[in-house]
Amino acid sequence: MKWWQARQQAFATQLNDRELRLVRYILMGLVIASVGLAALHRTELSSGAVGVWMLMVGDYWAVRLAQRRVNFLVSLLLGYLGALVGGLGLLLGLGLIFRW
């Protein structure tokens, strides 16, 4: 049991509050860049920006959930599942708006 608690604590302390704030700004910038690239009909670059966004959101949510004392594996699962759903929704929305 001690090993699991140590792993949970190490995962939850990967990023401090300042670094998490920076990650949020980067995520917002990636969404804005993706929308801009989709508006310019650069679909391959826009999809790439959404892919990077999905990976970063998964990491961000997993760390935030671990900081809130959610189980290590559950935080990973929920973080990446949420990122997958959000990324697919973003791709679908951009595709419908800009008619890829």
Side-chain angles (χ1 to χ4, degrees):
M1 187 68 170
K2 295 263 185 205
W3 174 82
W4 195 258
Q5 290 172 346
R7 187 70 188 140
Q8 174 82 17
Q9 185 66 24
F11 188 68
T13 58
Q14 278 183 344
L15 300 172
N16 60 26
D17 289 335
R18 182 174 171 262
E19 292 167 336
L20 283 172
R21 194 174 325 115
L22 178 65
V23 169
R24 278 192 301 247
Y25 294 139
I26 291 171
L27 289 171
M28 286 186 266
L30 279 171
V31 169
I32 291 169
S34 179
V35 170
L37 289 168
L40 294 173
H41 297 289
R42 300 297 306 243
T43 57
E44 66 281 349
L45 294 175
S46 178
S47 298
V50 171
V52 170
W53 180 84
M54 286 172 55
L55 291 173
M56 287 185 72
V57 164
D59 286 340
Y60 175 78
W61 284 346
V63 169
R64 289 297 288 175
L65 287 171
Q67 287 176 348
R68 299 200 190 298
R69 307 252 189 250
V70 176
N71 188 348
F72 173 69
L73 291 176
V74 173
S75 68
L76 283 174
L77 178 68
L78 289 176
Y80 285 107
L81 186 64
L84 179 67
V85 170
L88 292 176
L90 183 60
L91 281 175
L92 179 65
L94 289 175
L96 290 174
I97 290 171
F98 295 109
R99 306 266 185 224
W100 286 346

